[in-house]
Amino acid sequence: MMARPSPTLLWRRKPTLMIVTLLVVVVALVAAACTSGSDGNAASDANASREAAGLNPLTDEQVNAALKTYLPSGEHDPYIMFASGGHSGQMFVIGVPSMRILKEIGVFTAEPWQGWGFGNVGTMETLAQGDVNGNEVRWADTHHPALSETGGEYDGQFVFINDKANARVAVIDLRDFETKQIVKNPIAIVDHGGTKVTPNTEWIIQGGQYAAPHGWEYSALENYDEDYKGMVTFWKFDRSSGRILEDQSFALELPPYWQDLCDAGKLVSEGWVFCGSFNTERATGESGPDGVPFEAGASARDNDYLHVINLDKAVEVFDAGNTFDVNGFPVVGLQTLIDEGILYFVPEPKSPHGADVTPGGDYIVVSGKLDPHVSVYSFEKIQQAIADKNWVPDPYGIPVLDFDAVLEAQVEVGLGPLHTEFDNDGYAYTSIFLDSTVARWSLGPPYRDDGWKLEGTLPVHYNIGHLSTVGGDTVSPDGTYLVALNKWSIDRFFPPGPLLPQNLQLVDITQPPSDDSDTGGMQLLYDMPLGMGEPHYAQIIKADKLAPFEVYPEIGYDPAIMAVDPDAPVSGNERIERNGNNVEIWMTAIRSHYTPDRVDLKTGDNVTWHITNIDTSFDATHGFALPAYNINLSLEPGETATIEFIADQSGTFPFYCSEFCSALHLEMAGYMLIEP
Ligand code: K7E
Ligand code: CUA
């Protein structure tokens, strides 16, 4: 290749070229100004259209914000956010910065478009793993998604999420974005502090919340101190099978404090886990023995306890069998935790909520909802206090480390701080619930020499819960965008009845703090309403870390086992076999035909019906809608699925493809005839 002369060389050699070029640039600029509107403002064309629709004209700053989120048709988002679906029991996949919803993944709740829980035996079985003692539970209160990590960074392979209402954890495989497993916690009926993962995803952490007897056995509130217990569960995750190994998992018996969010240590603190807690008062409510309403009783003390857990040691004790069983599940007892030096407490100020480990693993940031500071603890100082036995025991004999000995810094950030995430430049971002702001503050050494100070606050709308920065809880956060997950939207959107959407607000955090910015350099870009549940938390990953299937790798692929089903129908072996009143059907689907397209049954037949989508083109999904029997499948290219039912209603039932797959999609149909 010919070397190109540098611009300076070019100027020196050809002064006339320089003049001509400058002229061209000036002419182009003038032309651009003329076409962009009569006053030369780039926004004025847009504002003319806006005026026609009755919208307010945009300011330059708003135009600037709009440009930062706009993606022309066909351009993909550089980041993908996995947001909890809240009460929907699902998970949302959202592009950042466009804030476009890409998918709602069916998790704990049936989802018809994906055929999740509407007849597909694989999906029905996965959902049934979440039943509670045989009771079907088909909603969930999902709170905290956690992407799998390798070396403390998101690896794009799996995402996990908890159900607070029933203490369940789900595993989603990011090859096809489908839920593969649900586990029900055997000792707790409610949770909260899940899910977070250890830096190599050996363990998925599920922290508890409202104390109850283990196994949720009956015991009157009068027996609270003796019978009620807290817990944290460590689920062993096996990456190769993509499953939680329930028989290699265990829990810790904790005092009946209400454990809250946990975070795993990383780098210097790898092998440790930190969980917030509240109600160390052991309040039992207005109608309970102490007669004080929970909200007052559980926030009476100035401090609750950050639980500092030596997970490596807990695993050793578990491996040695030093456990007892609850519902067949191994639990390391509280006295063992004390004797073996597995559990320590650190006082955390008033009504704590978040506990977040800094990217280097060297500090733990804790916020108390009723304390205007974030409190930053040094992991090194915690280790020193443990070595020095600088503690006093709590009522259960658990060492409470000296607050001043382990505290590194406190930064006043505002009223009602909750959760904290980080960027790549030594700044931390804390959600401030009561003030409805995001606080940007600087970490001290080794992150920033001039740190531990508030840099600015950005108003958000309103009542922010969690916030999420790109890779914000990993060892290498990306300092680009932040999403504020606001609980209330009030006046931000058209009110669709009295139940209002949540408001996810996108914030640009690329600009450094400056003296002339109250917001610490943060700029609000975009409001995204979400009217499907309350997404408490979200994680944002770089899109190029995800490598999902475009189509299933082979025809006859069963997503439930992520392998070819040897019994899957394939082209040429389609058939119907009857054996007494057991009927088995092998059917294929291809644009625009089901083979066979007629199925004859008799009332009372036990029907097993396999269908494979033998199309292999990108996006060539077929559906399978069968009326009266509550069946709908979504068959992605290559996928096979099985439905089972008893033909208990006779009649004539057209079945059809429920995805508009081709020009002859309406003709992609058939008849199921059930003879009385
Ligand atoms: Cu809503 Cu993490 Cu469940 Cu805080 S939690 S807001
Ligand atoms: Cu296949 Cu529509």
Side-chain angles (χ1 to χ4, degrees), residues 143-144 164 192 261 353 418-419 465-466 487 534 536-537:
H143 276 231
H144 304 111
K164 173 171 175 169
H192 186 236
L261 263 185
H353 190 39
L418 297 182
H419 302 286
H466 278 265
K487 309 285 182 188
E534 180 188 349
H536 288 257
Y537 180 51

Side-chain angles (χ1 to χ4, degrees), residues 266-325:
K266 44 190 174 243
L267 300 174
V268 293
S269 55
E270 186 164 352
W272 292 73
V273 169
F274 311 93
C275 305
S277 75
F278 60 111
N279 198 13
T280 54
E281 297 85 352
R282 289 174 282 165
T284 52
E286 191 171 14
S287 314
D290 54 75
V292 181
F294 279 114
E295 65 275 22
S299 59
R301 297 178 66 227
D302 282 339
N303 294 297
D304 291 288
Y305 298 132
L306 177 72
H307 293 35
V308 177
I309 297 163
N310 186 334
L311 174 58
D312 285 347
K313 247 190 196 169
V315 172
E316 277 172 31
V317 166
F318 162 62
D319 285 342
N322 191 357
T323 57
F324 58 85
D325 273 15

Side-chain angles (χ1 to χ4, degrees), residues 148-179:
S148 59
E149 296 181 9
T150 299
E153 290 195 56
Y154 301 149
D155 56 35
Q157 294 182 0
F158 299 94
V159 61
F160 313 100
I161 192 159
N162 72 312
D163 164 27
K164 173 171 175 169
N166 301 280
R168 299 179 295 178
V169 169
V171 178
I172 296 162
D173 191 322
L174 292 176
R175 282 174 293 176
D176 62 355
F177 285 54
E178 283 198 16
T179 305

Side-chain angles (χ1 to χ4, degrees), residues 118-193:
F118 289 95
N120 179 329
V121 171
T123 72
M124 308 290 277
E125 285 175 351
T126 303
L127 281 163
Q129 291 168 358
D131 290 352
V132 180
N133 289 338
N135 277 5
E136 260 194 19
V137 178
R138 291 293 180 273
W139 86 282
D141 183 14
T142 58
H143 276 231
H144 304 111
L147 286 154
S148 59
E149 296 181 9
T150 299
E153 290 195 56
Y154 301 149
D155 56 35
Q157 294 182 0
F158 299 94
V159 61
F160 313 100
I161 192 159
N162 72 312
D163 164 27
K164 173 171 175 169
N166 301 280
R168 299 179 295 178
V169 169
V171 178
I172 296 162
D173 191 322
L174 292 176
R175 282 174 293 176
D176 62 355
F177 285 54
E178 283 198 16
T179 305
K180 302 300 171 184
Q181 184 184 25
I182 294 173
V183 293
K184 167 75 200 92
N185 193 295
I187 71 166
I189 189 62
V190 181
D191 75 10
H192 186 236

Side-chain angles (χ1 to χ4, degrees), residues 8 38 58 78 177 276 287 296 373 400 452 457 460 486 506-507 538 633:
T8 33
S38 51
L58 296 179
F177 285 54
S287 314
H373 301 89
V400 182
W452 307 132
T457 55
V460 290
N486 305 312
L506 180 72
V507 176
L633 303 180

Side-chain angles (χ1 to χ4, degrees), residues 262-500:
C262 299
D263 200 3
K266 44 190 174 243
L267 300 174
V268 293
S269 55
E270 186 164 352
W272 292 73
V273 169
F274 311 93
C275 305
S277 75
F278 60 111
N279 198 13
T280 54
E281 297 85 352
R282 289 174 282 165
T284 52
E286 191 171 14
S287 314
D290 54 75
V292 181
F294 279 114
E295 65 275 22
S299 59
R301 297 178 66 227
D302 282 339
N303 294 297
D304 291 288
Y305 298 132
L306 177 72
H307 293 35
V308 177
I309 297 163
N310 186 334
L311 174 58
D312 285 347
K313 247 190 196 169
V315 172
E316 277 172 31
V317 166
F318 162 62
D319 285 342
N322 191 357
T323 57
F324 58 85
D325 273 15
V326 177
N327 286 339
F329 194 71
V331 179
V332 182
L334 186 53
Q335 194 56 50
T336 308
L337 300 179
I338 299 168
D339 295 345
E340 299 290 330
I342 293 169
L343 177 64
Y344 301 91
F345 288 159
V346 171
E348 44 180 3
K350 202 100 183 162
S351 278
H353 190 39
D356 298 289
V357 179
T358 49
D362 34 15
Y363 301 112
I364 304 106
V365 179
V366 160
S367 307
K369 299 191 292 289
L370 303 179
D371 179 86
H373 301 89
V374 285
S375 298
V376 184
Y377 303 103
S378 152
F379 180 71
E380 196 184 323
K381 289 180 180 175
I382 288 173
Q383 294 306 307
Q384 192 59 50
I386 291 171
D388 296 345
K389 297 193 176 1
N390 187 357
W391 66 56
V392 292
D394 92 323
Y396 291 86
I398 298 150
V400 182
L401 305 180
D402 183 73
F403 177 76
D404 294 318
V406 299
L407 186 75
E408 182 72 27
Q410 284 189 308
V411 180
E412 188 167 342
V413 288
L415 294 179
L418 297 182
H419 302 286
T420 300
E421 294 225 330
F422 307 94
D423 70 11
N424 59 344
D425 210 17
Y427 296 110
Y429 302 83
T430 300
S431 51
I432 313 290
F433 180 81
L434 295 174
D435 283 350
S436 286
T437 59
V438 171
R440 184 185 215 178
W441 53 280
S442 47
L443 297 168
Y447 299 91
R448 299 192 74 83
D449 293 339
D450 57 345
W452 307 132
K453 64 174 197 283
L454 182 67
E455 303 287 350
T457 55
L458 176 77
V460 290
H461 314 89
Y462 301 88
N463 297 10
I464 179 173
H466 278 265
L467 49 71
S468 181
T469 57
V470 180
D473 73 329
T474 69
V475 298
S476 59
D478 211 44
T480 46
Y481 297 104
L482 176 150
V483 173
L485 294 106
N486 305 312
K487 309 285 182 188
W488 284 20
S489 60
I490 309 184
D491 57 358
R492 294 294 103 170
F493 310 110
F494 173 83
L499 176 61
L500 302 185

